[in-house]
Amino acid sequence: MKGFRKQVMLGCLLVALSVMLYFLQIRIFHAPRDTFFYLFQDLAFVPIQVLLLTLIVDQVLRVREKLAMMNKLNMVIGTFFSEVGSRLLKSFLGFDHHGDDIRSKLLVTRDWTGLQYAKVRKELPLYDYRMDVEMSDLKELKAFLGGKRDFLLRLLENPNLLEHETFTELLWAVFHLLEELEVRDDVRQLSVPDSEHLAGDIKRAYVILLVEWLAYMEHLQSEYPYLFSLAVRTNPFDAHAFAPVE
């Protein structure tokens, strides 16, 4: 309320100053007709000024605000991949019948261009995703995700993530997989239908995770080369990944 009063007082002061200046103009030049002519001419342009400010300035501010929001979201996404995402990709690869095929497509290097990222992004939906829960250790996956439950919940509670629908969808897919695993006492003793059901849950999270990881790598290469360097050296799709710089 105090700030509003200050704004009203400032507005009244500026209007009074303007009236005084017009009055002085009339007293000095004795041409009230010209003064009122230009006054109304200026007033006639005010709606156009408001329109320009609304369409241009407001839009520029919105774009800047959105960019700032996306930078914050990318920080959250980076934390997700450091804590969960990269390890989860390695785990999912173990359930993938054609894991070697997807590995060969995602060996990102410093030489990758935007065209190469776009090419792989188009190829990912065409990939033959065939997951088999018997190929790797579901109990280990269950333990890993269970240890990250609180972290995933904190991410889901972040209201800013609503601006990033795909990443929010990824979090829900991963959290749903965790819940499916936790309601089963022994994930090593599953019926065939139950195994197929879990394979479908893994596939859902796997597909979205691949897309998000690729977008994250492209963002790092463009904006944070030093983080990208580490991400390349720890690429979960590189069987020979070696973090120390040689």
Side-chain angles (χ1 to χ4, degrees), residues 139-206:
K139 186 176 181 180
E140 183 181 340
L141 175 61
K142 176 181 176 180
F144 170 68
L145 287 177
K148 300 298 181 180
R149 169 180 274 274
D150 291 342
F151 175 75
L152 292 172
L153 282 174
R154 287 198 301 271
L155 289 182
L156 286 169
E157 291 169 356
N158 189 335
N160 293 330
L161 289 177
L162 295 175
E163 300 291 329
H164 200 308
E165 294 181 5
T166 310
F167 186 67
T168 303
E169 185 181 356
L170 169 61
L171 290 179
W172 280 117
V174 172
F175 198 78
H176 174 72
L177 174 60
L178 168 59
E179 290 184 318
E180 289 278 5
L181 292 171
E182 286 186 333
V183 296
R184 290 164 173 79
D185 294 329
D186 189 355
V187 292
R188 292 179 175 176
Q189 298 294 326
L190 302 172
S191 64
V192 173
D194 208 22
S195 295
E196 292 176 349
H197 180 82
L198 285 175
D201 290 330
I202 292 175
K203 176 181 175 180
R204 182 187 302 110
Y206 184 41

Side-chain angles (χ1 to χ4, degrees), residues 18-21 29 44 47 49 55 58 73 107 134 144 149 167 170 199 202 213 225:
S18 182
V19 171
M20 184 181 69
L21 289 172
F29 297 103
Q49 287 179 317
L55 293 180
D58 184 61
L73 288 179
L107 294 177
E134 300 294 332
F144 170 68
R149 169 180 274 274
F167 186 67
L170 169 61
I202 292 175
W213 180 84

Side-chain angles (χ1 to χ4, degrees), residues 97-113:
H97 266 288
H98 302 133
D100 290 339
D101 294 339
I102 203 71
R103 283 180 187 276
S104 63
K105 295 179 185 296
L106 294 171
L107 294 177
V108 179
T109 69
R110 297 175 181 84
D111 298 325
W112 274 40
T113 64

Side-chain angles (χ1 to χ4, degrees), residues 77 80-81 84-93 106 124 129 144-145 166-167 169-171 173-174 177 202-217 236-237:
I77 292 172
F80 167 79
F81 277 105
V84 179
S86 296
R87 168 78 180 274
L88 202 54
L89 281 171
K90 289 183 180 180
S91 181
F92 286 165
L93 276 171
L106 294 171
L124 285 178
Y129 297 95
F144 170 68
L145 287 177
T166 310
F167 186 67
E169 185 181 356
L170 169 61
L171 290 179
V174 172
L177 174 60
I202 292 175
K203 176 181 175 180
R204 182 187 302 110
Y206 184 41
V207 172
I208 308 172
L209 185 58
L210 287 171
V211 174
E212 284 299 303
W213 180 84
L214 188 65
Y216 173 64
M217 292 295 285
F237 300 99

